[in-house]
Amino acid sequence: MGNAGLRIADRTLDGPHGDLRVRVYAPPAGAVAGLVWAHGGAFMHGDLDMPEADWVARSLAGSGVVVASVDYRLAPPLDYRTAGARPGGAGVRFPVPSEEVAFAFAWAAGPDGPAPELTAGRWWLGGASAGGDLAAGASLRLRDGAVPPGARGGAVVPLPRGVVLAYPVTHQALPAFRPELAAKVAALPEEKNFPAAAVRAMNGNYLGHDGPAGSPYAFPGGQDLRGLPPTFIVNSDHDALRAGGEAYASELAAAGVDVAVVREDGTTHGHLNRPDEPGAARSIARIAAWLTTDATVGAAHEPPDRVH
C-alpha cells in the first residue's frame, strides 16, 4: 500500500462544540470509499499524529480510501489503574466527543465533504479502542436521526455504509471472560492489562460520574442495536477488552445486524498503534478489504424507520 501522491490537509469545521479539526487523507487516483475515523486513547489521550490515527489513515488511503481523521475533544487525564484516583486537568465529558464524531460523519458524507465523487452510501464510520466506542455510539445517533444541531443544516444524514471497530470499548462495565481469554489476560503484564475496575474508572471519567450512563449513545453494548449498518470488528488477541468486542458482536447478530468479527492472532490491545508488529499490517489489510469490497460487507436491514 503506497503513499506516493497522497494528499493530506487539515480542515477546521464549525462543530457542535466549537472548532473541530479533521485531517483528510485523499488517495492520489480518486477514492473508492470514505472513512471517518476516531483514534483511541482511553477517551483522554491521543491525537492526529499517533500511528493509530496517522499510520492507519495513510495506509488506508493507499488502498483508495479517503480518510477523515477526527481530532475530537478529550476527557480530563486520569490514572484509571489506581483506585480512588481523581482527574487532573481540564477536559470534556460525554456527550461532547460522541457528538463531534457524529458531526464529522455528517460533514464528510454531505455535499461539502472532502470527496464529492463519493455518494453518501460509500462512507464508513470507524474507530479504535475508545474511538471505537465513539464510532459505534455515533452509529446509533445516526440511526436515530439524533445528529448534533447544525449538522447538514438539519437535513437527514445517511447511515454509514458500514462500521469498522478495532479492539473497541463497547460496554460501561467489562463483560465476563471466557476461560480461553481469562488465561491470556492473566498472563499479561500489568501495563498491558485492563482490569474490570480500571475499565469502569476510565468509562466513569468519560461520563463524569460513576452511575448509569443515562444515554444509549455513551456505550452501545447492551442497547437496542436493530437497524444498524453492517459492522466489522477486529479484536486484539491477548486483550481484556476483547470480552467487550466479542459480546458486542453477539449482540449485533442477535439484533439482526450483519457482523463479522476477527481475533488478530498474537496481538495485544492497541496493536494498530504499533505499525512494526505483523498484526497491525494484517488488520489494516482486513479493514481495507472490507472498505473496498462490497461482497464482504452485507447490508443494513430492519427496522425501516431509524427512530427507536
Side-chain angles (χ1 to χ4, degrees), residues 112-218:
D112 299 322
E117 71 271 22
L118 293 179
T119 65
R122 295 302 307 161
W123 276 94
W124 297 69
L125 179 58
S129 195
D133 177 80
L134 299 179
S139 73
L140 267 68
R141 289 184 181 278
L142 295 163
R143 179 201 64 185
D144 296 345
V147 294
R152 294 282 292 275
V156 174
V157 179
L159 282 175
R161 173 68 182 92
V163 177
V164 175
L165 307 176
Y167 38 84
V169 176
T170 53
H171 296 72
Q172 186 173 359
L174 192 64
F177 299 155
R178 293 181 291 106
E180 171 268 333
L181 178 57
K184 289 180 175 177
V185 169
L188 287 170
E190 181 179 357
E191 67 273 11
K192 288 186 175 291
N193 198 4
F194 293 87
V199 172
R200 181 169 285 280
M202 175 185 74
N203 291 346
N205 184 52
Y206 169 53
L207 290 174
H209 58 79
D210 295 329
S215 168
Y217 309 133

Side-chain angles (χ1 to χ4, degrees), residues 65-266:
V65 179
V66 58
V67 180
S69 185
V70 186
D71 193 24
Y72 59 86
R73 286 167 169 79
L74 302 176
L78 171 74
D79 181 8
Y80 57 89
R81 299 178 190 275
T82 299
R86 306 291 297 175
V92 302
R93 312 286 191 175
F94 174 83
V96 172
S98 172
E99 291 181 344
E100 290 185 324
V101 171
F103 185 95
F105 180 85
W107 165 76
D112 299 322
E117 71 271 22
L118 293 179
T119 65
R122 295 302 307 161
W123 276 94
W124 297 69
L125 179 58
S129 195
D133 177 80
L134 299 179
S139 73
L140 267 68
R141 289 184 181 278
L142 295 163
R143 179 201 64 185
D144 296 345
V147 294
R152 294 282 292 275
V156 174
V157 179
L159 282 175
R161 173 68 182 92
V163 177
V164 175
L165 307 176
Y167 38 84
V169 176
T170 53
H171 296 72
Q172 186 173 359
L174 192 64
F177 299 155
R178 293 181 291 106
E180 171 268 333
L181 178 57
K184 289 180 175 177
V185 169
L188 287 170
E190 181 179 357
E191 67 273 11
K192 288 186 175 291
N193 198 4
F194 293 87
V199 172
R200 181 169 285 280
M202 175 185 74
N203 291 346
N205 184 52
Y206 169 53
L207 290 174
H209 58 79
D210 295 329
S215 168
Y217 309 133
F219 299 99
Q223 306 300 332
D224 178 2
L225 305 180
R226 293 174 296 165
L228 286 178
T231 300
F232 180 42
I233 302 174
V234 179
N235 289 315
S236 300
D237 185 5
H238 301 254
D239 180 10
L241 291 179
R242 173 153 67 90
E246 291 176 343
Y248 187 58
S250 296
E251 293 168 7
L252 286 167
V257 178
D258 288 346
V259 59
V261 59
V262 171
R263 173 175 24 130
E264 200 63 78
D265 191 44

